[in-house]
Amino acid sequence: MIKKVDHIGIAVKSIEKTLPFYTDVLKLPLIGIEEVGTQKVRVAFLQAGSTKLELLEPISEESTIAKFIEKRGEGIHHVALGVESIEERIKEIKEKGVRMIDDQPRSGAGGADIAFMHPKSAAGVLFELCEKKGDEGVNDRHL
């Protein structure tokens, strides 16, 4: 069902101010930066071994990331699990009584189809299902 931990989402107030820690101190390669207008965020992906880190910066006070930072501060926001056949995974998860935030996949960064599980169904952890069409390898995402 789960292929891998695709990425860990980290909410930040400013990618510009935060990025040097990841690139200069941790020496993680920057894969790319993009804006996801539908989610009102800018994202920066960094390669951390076989997993990526996704820095999430709100571009609107109305974004869920802005609300997250306001309530909890900067830090880990979600864990994204790479899956195949996301529609089938959503159906299977719901059949097991897990509440979904997204009953249908939506577009995410890097052209991925994504869907979030409600953290109340996962011991307080926000999990994202992430399917990348044509993505066969663990490190194949290029923004």
Side-chain angles (χ1 to χ4, degrees):
M1 181 172 159
I2 305 300
K3 296 190 313 183
K4 62 187 175 190
V5 172
D6 184 78
H7 66 270
I8 299 169
I10 302 168
V12 300
K13 292 178 183 174
S14 168
I15 287 174
E16 182 180 335
K17 291 180 182 176
T18 307
L19 199 54
F21 171 77
Y22 291 93
T23 57
D24 300 342
V25 176
L26 298 181
K27 303 288 187 198
L28 298 176
L30 176 65
I31 299 170
I33 298 174
E34 73 173 280
E35 190 171 302
V36 183
T38 57
Q39 296 182 36
K40 302 177 180 130
V41 294
R42 281 183 66 221
V43 297
F45 278 99
L46 299 121
Q47 195 67 52
S50 61
T51 302
K52 289 173 280 307
L53 299 181
E54 177 187 42
L55 304 181
L56 299 150
E57 173 190 345
I59 57 173
S60 166
E61 291 178 13
E62 297 169 5
S63 81
T64 57
I65 298 302
K67 293 172 186 171
F68 177 89
I69 291 171
E70 184 179 313
K71 186 184 284 187
R72 296 196 173 127
E74 296 178 294
I76 294 177
H77 179 260
H78 68 271
V79 176
L81 304 171
V83 300
E84 293 177 356
S85 305
I86 192 168
E87 293 89 356
E88 291 178 30
R89 300 297 80 78
I90 292 169
K91 182 181 175 202
E92 290 171 4
I93 288 168
K94 287 174 68 174
E95 286 173 354
K96 294 190 182 300
V98 174
R99 189 169 144 206
M100 297 292 296
I101 292 172
D102 301 299
D103 288 324
Q104 297 295 319
R106 57 186 161 114
S107 295
D113 288 335
I114 63 169
F116 285 92
M117 290 182 227
H118 200 287
K120 288 184 179 179
S121 291
V125 178
L126 180 61
F127 282 106
E128 173 187 9
L129 302 179
C130 179
E131 180 182 14
K132 297 175 198 135
K133 304 292 184 201
D135 181 14
E136 299 300 324
V138 172
N139 297 315
D140 290 345
R141 173 188 275 180
H142 297 288
L143 300 175

